[in-house]
Amino acid sequence: MSILGNLLVMVAVCRDRQLRKIKTNYFIVSLAFADLLVSVLVMPFGAIELVHQHWIYGETFCLVRTSLDVLLTTASILHLCCIALDRYYAICCQPLVYRNKMTPTRVALMIGGCWVIPTFISFLPIMQGWNSIGIDHVIEQRRHSEATNSTSCVFMVNKPYALTCSVVAFYIPLVLMVLAYQRIYVTARAHALQISMLPSSDSAEHQRNHRMRTETKAAKTLCIIMGCFCLCWAPFFITNVVDPFIDYTVPDKLWAACLWLGYINSMLNPILYAFLNKSFRRAFLIILCCGRKRYGGPSILGANAPCAATQITSSTHVLK
């Protein structure tokens, strides 16, 4: 499901010219690519180890696989943070400010940062063994289990690495996302209040009811996005910080459950950031139904795409 969903997102943007015009979609495509690599390069080997109850690919590939795990999952989380910041600038700032802030060059730099920053907490320290300084004897005991007489791909971290990795990969993005979406929510409610004060008439009442429904749906969408993100990743990163301080007594099964709960986020991201978007859904139908004309039209966005200025200032952009 993760492979299919993320591939569909990437193909939709590549094939549809209208989707390529929206800057936020470039973050979504890069996010889909990171999640696709998680599902192709990380999940299968983790699943094989769970089934066989031991690691069969050697110590070097264990380090490579672990580095890829940290790199790609961190990149995925940083992309979610960039999407939140992009929406914040689009909704809470004036159109001119948004155009100045989100230039193509700045978008490219933000996406590049989402891929470069994780390398400093993944391949560099893991391949150098910085994460295992002071706990080599514990890792060796875990790697060679006397009970099962097998070798495992063990990834354990000392206190400095656990704190640094967790802060960079989760806690800082979490704070930025909470602040951004909180401001988006406040702005959306302010728009709804302004609409409710319009002169009373049939057309105004209809517009007011429509906007209130839109604001309610926007608030629910924000809750779903933040709720899924926290539900998937908070257990792992809380455990990651706590484990070194309790002498690594967290059970292996709990570690596996927290880790795979985080992997599930790579499957949910296409649903949250693309399938909830009407423009993406229309593009998906065109792809899956082999381009049938009834799903197409002069504009893939149809009536759901307001003008650029309205899309930037209106709270309905939250849903896009």
Side-chain angles (χ1 to χ4, degrees):
M1 291 179 66
S2 179
I3 292 173
L4 176 62
N6 288 293
L7 272 178
L8 202 56
V9 170
M10 297 172 64
V11 172
V13 176
C14 290
R15 291 188 57 178
D16 191 89
R17 183 173 57 86
Q18 296 295 334
L19 289 177
R20 292 197 299 271
K21 291 182 179 180
I22 302 175
K23 295 175 183 176
T24 306
N25 290 343
Y26 288 99
F27 293 111
I28 293 178
V29 169
S30 189
L31 168 67
F33 182 63
D35 289 332
L36 178 65
L37 292 181
V38 170
S39 59
V40 172
L41 301 179
V42 177
M43 290 187 193
F45 298 104
I48 291 172
E49 185 180 17
L50 284 178
V51 171
H52 289 280
Q53 293 296 312
H54 67 278
W55 183 253
I56 59 177
Y57 299 105
E59 183 176 349
T60 301
F61 191 72
C62 172
L63 293 175
V64 173
R65 185 260 179 187
T66 301
S67 300
L68 285 172
D69 190 347
V70 177
L71 170 69
L72 296 175
T73 53
T74 303
S76 177
I77 294 173
L78 293 182
H79 278 91
L80 301 182
C81 182
C82 285
I83 291 173
L85 294 177
D86 175 78
R87 293 179 178 185
Y88 165 77
Y89 284 121
I91 297 169
C92 300
C93 300
Q94 296 298 321
L96 183 60
V97 175
Y98 178 74
R99 286 195 294 270
N100 291 336
K101 290 285 186 180
M102 288 300 166
T103 61
T105 301
R106 184 160 294 182
V107 170
L109 289 175
M110 291 175 67
I111 292 175
C114 290
W115 289 99
V116 173
I117 292 175
T119 61
F120 292 102
I121 61 171
S122 58
F123 274 91
L124 180 61
I126 292 174
M127 300 304 288
Q128 295 294 326
W130 296 346
N131 62 291
S132 60
I133 296 175
I135 58 171
D136 301 271
H137 62 288
V138 181
I139 295 177
E140 198 63 26
Q141 289 176 355
R142 294 284 184 91
R143 182 175 295 157
H144 302 286
S145 174
E146 296 181 359
T148 60
N149 193 26
S150 61
T151 302
S152 302
C153 181
V154 177
F155 179 55
M156 299 178 66
V157 297
N158 50 32
K159 295 176 183 178
Y161 182 85
L163 293 173
T164 303
C165 178
S166 299
V167 168
V168 173
F170 178 73
Y171 291 105
I172 291 179
L174 175 65
V175 171
L176 292 176
M177 289 175 67
V178 169
L179 292 176
Y181 284 133
Q182 187 269 340
R183 290 300 305 163
I184 291 172
Y185 178 80
V186 170
T187 302
R189 298 304 299 173
H191 289 168
L193 181 60
Q194 292 173 0
I195 293 170
S196 66
M197 298 173 64
L198 291 173
S200 179
S201 65
D202 291 341
S203 59
E205 185 67 23
H206 175 74
Q207 184 184 20
R208 182 159 51 242
N209 293 335
H210 173 71
R211 283 301 181 93
M212 289 302 294
R213 288 194 300 269
T214 301
E215 304 304 338
T216 302
K217 186 177 180 180
K220 290 181 179 178
T221 302
L222 295 181
C223 291
I224 291 172
I225 289 173
M226 285 305 304
C228 290
F229 174 72
C230 293
L231 178 64
C232 288
W233 281 117
F236 174 81
F237 282 102
I238 291 174
T239 305
N240 192 52
V241 171
V242 171
D243 192 36
F245 292 91
I246 58 174
D247 297 327
Y248 305 96
T249 55
V250 175
D252 292 340
K253 291 184 178 179
L254 179 59
W255 264 117
C258 292
L259 183 61
W260 279 89
L261 190 60
Y263 291 159
I264 289 176
N265 191 240
S266 294
M267 179 193 70
L268 294 178
N269 284 336
I271 299 174
L272 296 176
Y273 290 91
F275 283 83
L276 293 180
N277 183 307
K278 291 182 180 180
S279 303
F280 270 100
R281 288 203 302 270
R282 181 70 63 84
F284 294 158
L285 286 173
I286 293 175
I287 294 171
L288 296 177
C289 298
C290 302
R292 291 182 183 177
K293 292 183 178 180
R294 65 171 181 156
Y295 296 118
S299 173
I300 194 70
L301 298 178
N304 295 306
C307 66
T310 305
Q311 188 178 22
I312 290 171
T313 57
S314 171
S315 59
T316 56
H317 186 72
V318 173
L319 301 179
K320 295 187 177 296

